[in-house]
Amino acid sequence: MTESTAKQNLLDLDREGLERFFADELGEKRFRAHQVMKWIHHRHVTDFDEMTDLGKPLRAKLLERAEVIVPQVHFDKPSTDGTHKWLLGMDGKNAIETVYIPDKGRGTLCVSSQVGCALNCQFCSTATQGFNRNLSTAEIIGQVWVAAKHLGNIPHKQRRLTNVVMMGMGEPLMNFDNVVRAMSVMRDDLGYGLANKRVTLSTAGMVPMIDRLSEESDVSLAVSLHAANDELRTELVPLNKKYPIAELMAACERYVRRKPRSSITFEYTLMKDVNDQPVHARQLARLMRQFGNALQVKDAAKVNLIPFNPFPGTRFQRSGEDEIRAFQKLLLDAQVLTMVRRTRGDDIDAACGQLKGQVADRTRRQAEFRKHLEQITGGEGGDAAA
């Protein structure tokens, strides 16, 4: 057997992994890993020769054994409301989208975890693109690196990165190890120094992995609910057939019990005449009250109402403003903490549910959606993935 000549991409490693690499692979002191982390994540330096507090012999070792490969920016596009979207190349065939949303003293980065998505949530544009593969840790944290470097270059606009949400393309808990490792770097003082509560993972309801997340990471949890009865939720979120609402809510209870003073945000996308009627609001209020009563914790559940963001070929429509406010009022009257998410970046297709990127689909879902689009547009729909 010949010895592998592949270089280690240092973006793939969290602090513990980088310390092991320096000690075991390079024969160096562990604190050297801390120096390199600061160069990469604080100063956005990827050239070892520019890491001037490292001796020449160590820099030579790094040049031989390691590299720092960040995602390639295919384009970056600002919105009129200050939102910013990047299309980032992951390899020769695939690209993913990452979105930055500034708002009143905070800046939130929406990060992708997969190329496409293996789930098939009916109201999500990403689902129409199918699925190719999981992202590596380097490709996940690389999105943060690109955004932080960009924001650091425009200090006069006073834009900064304060929050990260794993709500971009993909189901994060289906890429558990890489996502958890990347979130560790996000929260590390040698990485991006974000508080635990300012890193949020959103899941469609991977029940076993919610339990594992509560044991292995300390981040905020959001659950894509979208319906409070199993029949409708299974239609909208097919994963519900495997992990129905009762099992999902039980996992959420266990998560909060293991995380004192924590709460869970339940995301609910409002679609006209689908899940926005008073009966749906009452069902949701009942479910949230049951959740809070079981835990005996005030505001253990928060509901985030999301107006549906249309995309070409979808059968769903956005609920009207009156319906949205009436839905919120029914929840608030039932003592359920409820917010309405303001739509941001929809002029550049950067709003919630609109991310799609470029996916070399292995599921044939993209071809099926194109066929559907041609049927409803008489063959004038064009390329839905463009």
Side-chain angles (χ1 to χ4, degrees):
M1 278 181 70
T2 59
E3 185 177 344
S4 172
T5 58
K7 293 184 178 182
Q8 171 67 58
N9 186 355
L10 300 188
L11 278 185
D12 261 322
L13 305 176
D14 58 11
R15 184 197 295 218
E16 183 179 344
L18 200 58
E19 287 176 346
R20 284 199 304 268
F21 176 76
F22 271 78
D24 299 342
E25 300 296 325
L26 301 184
E28 295 283 342
K29 299 292 186 182
R30 289 178 177 266
F31 78 89
R32 295 298 185 189
H34 304 177
Q35 293 174 288
V36 171
M37 279 192 76
K38 288 181 180 179
W39 279 109
I40 295 172
H41 299 293
H42 291 185
R43 301 169 186 165
H44 309 110
V45 171
T46 61
D47 185 344
F48 297 128
D49 281 334
E50 293 182 20
M51 299 181 182
T52 52
D53 59 354
L54 304 180
K56 286 185 178 180
L58 175 53
R59 280 183 269 163
K61 284 185 187 179
L62 288 169
L63 285 168
E64 181 182 355
R65 305 286 295 277
E67 58 189 357
V68 182
I69 304 297
V70 300
Q72 180 181 1
V73 178
H74 286 347
F75 72 76
D76 59 90
K77 192 173 184 180
S79 166
T80 56
D81 64 15
T83 299
H84 204 103
K85 181 171 77 171
W86 292 270
L87 181 71
L88 302 177
M90 297 293 107
D91 50 48
K93 296 180 179 180
N94 294 295
I96 56 93
E97 294 185 338
T98 304
V99 176
Y100 173 76
I101 308 157
D103 186 25
K104 295 180 181 177
R106 61 188 279 165
T108 300
L109 188 69
C110 183
V111 171
S112 297
S113 57
Q114 296 179 311
V115 180
C117 186
L119 304 182
N120 191 21
C121 297
Q122 295 298 292
F123 51 89
C124 181
S125 180
T126 304
T128 68
Q129 302 304 294
F131 174 75
N132 185 268
R133 64 176 176 83
N134 287 331
L135 295 179
S136 68
T137 297
E139 291 168 331
I140 297 168
I141 200 64
Q143 297 169 64
V144 184
W145 189 95
V146 167
K149 184 172 188 287
H150 172 88
L151 296 172
N153 288 338
I154 49 174
H156 61 284
K157 293 187 177 181
Q158 296 182 344
R159 298 168 77 186
R160 61 195 181 101
L161 182 60
T162 63
N163 296 67
V164 170
V165 291
M166 299 299 306
M167 296 182 185
M169 297 172 65
E171 164 55 57
L173 292 184
M174 293 186 75
N175 187 14
F176 187 90
D177 291 336
N178 291 340
V179 166
V180 167
R181 192 177 302 115
M183 291 192 303
S184 175
V185 178
M186 296 173 198
R187 293 151 47 224
D188 196 311
D189 287 342
L190 299 177
Y192 297 89
L194 300 178
N196 292 345
K197 66 179 182 179
R198 292 187 178 272
V199 177
T200 301
L201 182 145
S202 176
T203 178
M206 301 288 296
V207 167
M209 307 313 287
I210 291 174
D211 288 324
R212 186 178 167 194
L213 182 70
S214 70
E215 297 169 354
E216 298 188 25
S217 188
D218 188 8
V219 295
S220 297
L221 182 65
V223 173
S224 295
L225 193 61
H226 312 301
N229 70 78
D230 280 318
E231 182 180 2
L232 180 55
R233 188 167 193 267
T234 298
E235 177 188 341
L236 297 174
V237 184
L239 183 65
N240 192 74
K241 188 173 183 180
K242 185 170 186 179
Y243 303 116
I245 291 173
E247 292 185 26
L248 174 58
M249 298 305 292
C252 291
E253 287 182 24
R254 292 192 294 272
Y255 193 91
V256 174
R257 293 185 194 282
R258 290 170 181 154
K259 306 287 184 184
R261 298 180 298 281
S262 67
S263 62
I264 292 181
T265 299
F266 291 91
E267 298 162 320
Y268 195 102
T269 299
L270 285 164
M271 290 161 274
K272 183 178 180 180
D273 298 329
V274 174
N275 66 348
D276 66 345
Q277 298 302 297
V279 63
H280 301 124
R282 288 191 287 269
Q283 290 173 353
L284 181 58
R286 188 182 313 116
L287 186 66
M288 295 297 100
R289 284 199 305 268
Q290 291 171 349
F291 180 72
N293 291 340
L295 291 165
Q296 295 184 327
V297 175
K298 180 177 173 57
D299 295 335
K302 303 175 184 177
V303 173
N304 197 354
L305 299 178
I306 307 169
F308 173 69
N309 295 303
F311 56 89
T314 181
R315 62 185 173 91
F316 299 107
Q317 297 178 9
R318 181 181 299 196
S319 300
E321 187 66 23
D322 289 344
E323 286 75 20
I324 293 172
R325 293 302 169 185
F327 198 99
Q328 181 189 30
K329 185 176 186 303
L330 283 170
L331 291 170
L332 291 173
D333 289 347
Q335 306 302 307
V336 177
L337 182 59
T338 308
M339 299 152 286
V340 176
R341 182 183 296 176
R342 186 157 59 99
T343 298
R344 302 290 301 273
D346 54 343
D347 61 319
I348 56 171
D349 292 334
C352 184
Q354 289 186 320
L355 303 188
K356 53 189 179 183
Q358 295 173 358
V359 180
D361 183 24
R362 299 190 310 188
T363 65
R364 293 194 56 79
R365 198 181 305 141
Q366 195 172 132
E368 292 169 1
F369 185 76
R370 284 183 177 142
K371 183 177 180 181
H372 160 73
L373 189 57
E374 289 174 0
Q375 289 173 343
I376 65 175
T377 61
E380 298 178 357
D383 188 348

